[in-house]
Amino acid sequence: MECQRNISEFLLMGLSSKHNIEVLCFIFFLFCYFAILCWNLLIFFSIRYSSLFNQPMYYFLSHLSSMDICYTSCVTPKLIGDLLVRRKNISHSNCILQVFVMHFFGMIEILILTAMAFDRCVAICRPLHYMVIMSRPRCHVLIWASWIGGVAHSLPQVMMLICLPFCGPNEIDNYYCDIFSLLKVACTDTYITGILMVANSGVVAFVIFVLLFGSYVVILFTLRHYSAEGRRKALSTCGSHISVVILFFGPSIFSYLRPPTTYPEDKIFALLYTIIAPMFNPLIYTLRNTEMKTAIKKVWCQTTFLGEKHN
């Protein structure tokens, strides 16, 4: 197929046309991005350099933290920089690249969340066989499968977008290159392409969400046979995961499981799953997790002590 386009860049409309609001947004999102980097790196290194790394749940959590950083870094630095300039432009190739990496890392994150749900289901429903089922080689396979799933999800979308003709206008009413916004400015009938995008993003996200919901129904059914203390501990761990799933999947399903068009609310929902969710994920997993808080104190206090001893 011959790729035809008359424009070499897109103009992003951003979050607001008012300068004062953009300055406030710059300060807020700069803080958010700094918090995302610090908190997720804190979890990643605290798990990696502690005994928690040998446990499947925390092994997946360390990968989730790294994916949070990669995912939000596809959008947030560009958003922060654009808040300080009047002309917010992005080249055609960078726009397509942004779509690819966002959906690539986003799907990896979704599949890691699925692996974490499977891990909790096995731990609660088959505790005697847990270490056999969730062996380290099998955990490696699940992570590699997540990466392969990311490629399988994002590559077809880019292939459908890359040869769409763009001849003007080139204004995208968003702060990043969103699929539906690109379909809106394409100079051709994108109805079939839009349906395929919905099937590849919205339907897939909804099906995985239903599977995750089903796994927790099974867990709740199994917890009837546990003691009160056992139920409390299991629900505390699962509650963190459910909170993260809802925070990420809710806005994502709204954004992609619908007719392929754009709405004014898209920017708000996009902020939830591109910035807010990655920022709160570390807090959700650590605030009520005694093992995680102990590992953080042990690793970083030991690092501080060794640094002082070296000096």
Side-chain angles (χ1 to χ4, degrees), residues 137-198:
R138 189 159 294 173
C139 291
H140 289 327
V141 170
L142 290 174
I143 291 298
W144 277 109
S146 299
W147 281 76
I148 294 172
V151 174
H153 165 71
S154 55
L155 193 58
Q157 291 189 330
V158 170
M159 295 305 294
M160 286 185 284
L161 287 175
I162 200 167
C163 285
L164 285 177
F166 296 100
C167 49
N170 64 339
E171 293 182 348
I172 296 178
D173 189 18
N174 214 321
Y175 62 90
Y176 70 102
C177 286
D178 175 56
I179 288 177
F180 293 158
S181 298
L182 287 172
L183 295 181
K184 185 177 179 180
V185 298
C187 305
T188 186
D189 183 9
T190 58
Y191 177 78
I192 299 299
T193 304
I195 296 299
L196 293 174
M197 295 293 186
V198 170

Side-chain angles (χ1 to χ4, degrees), residues 116-135:
M116 294 176 72
F118 176 71
D119 170 76
R120 291 299 84 202
C121 193
V122 173
I124 293 172
C125 300
R126 301 289 297 277
L128 297 179
H129 303 88
Y130 175 68
M131 293 310 298
V132 175
I133 297 175
M134 298 304 299
S135 62

Side-chain angles (χ1 to χ4, degrees), residues 16 117 122 219 266:
S16 175
V122 173
I219 288 174
D266 288 347

Side-chain angles (χ1 to χ4, degrees), residues 105 224 284 288 306:
F105 289 120
R224 297 184 308 163
I284 293 172
R288 298 180 60 186
L306 291 176

